[in-house]
Amino acid sequence: LSDGYGALAGERFDAIVSNLPAHQGQRADRSVAERFIAGAPGHLRPEGGAWFVANKALPYELPAANAFRQVRVAAADGRYK
């Protein structure tokens, strides 16, 4: 168990997969998800990748583009991407 990457110092992975959190209690809060996205490259092996699921209305493409060389939406429906 870890709060984000806190307990994973020095660990590197082939893949990071997460359903990104969008709320803190009842309040919408993107900050945890944005920190998780930003920290992902530091915990991936050179050829590793990250896969995130998020509410379609949440604008995570910019934080992802700031963290990764390549970002694309692999799939989307009316509610999620």
Side-chain angles (χ1 to χ4, degrees), residues 21-33 35:
H23 298 90
Q24 179 118 352
Q26 297 295 323
R27 183 177 59 88
D29 183 357
R30 298 189 325 245
S31 65
V32 172
R35 281 193 312 272

Side-chain angles (χ1 to χ4, degrees), residues 29-51:
D29 183 357
R30 298 189 325 245
S31 65
V32 172
E34 291 179 1
R35 281 193 312 272
F36 194 75
I37 292 167
H43 292 282
L44 287 168
R45 292 189 177 109
E47 298 302 317
W51 294 82

Side-chain angles (χ1 to χ4, degrees), residues 50-52 61 64-65 68-75 81:
W51 294 82
F52 302 117
E61 289 81 2
F68 294 95
R69 287 186 307 254
Q70 180 182 19
V71 175
R72 67 182 177 90
V73 175
K81 58 184 171 189

Side-chain angles (χ1 to χ4, degrees), residues 7 10 12-13 17 38 40 44 48 56 60 67 77 79:
R12 299 290 182 265
F13 303 94
V17 180
L44 287 168
K56 190 174 180 182
Y60 290 129
D77 64 16
R79 294 183 61 194

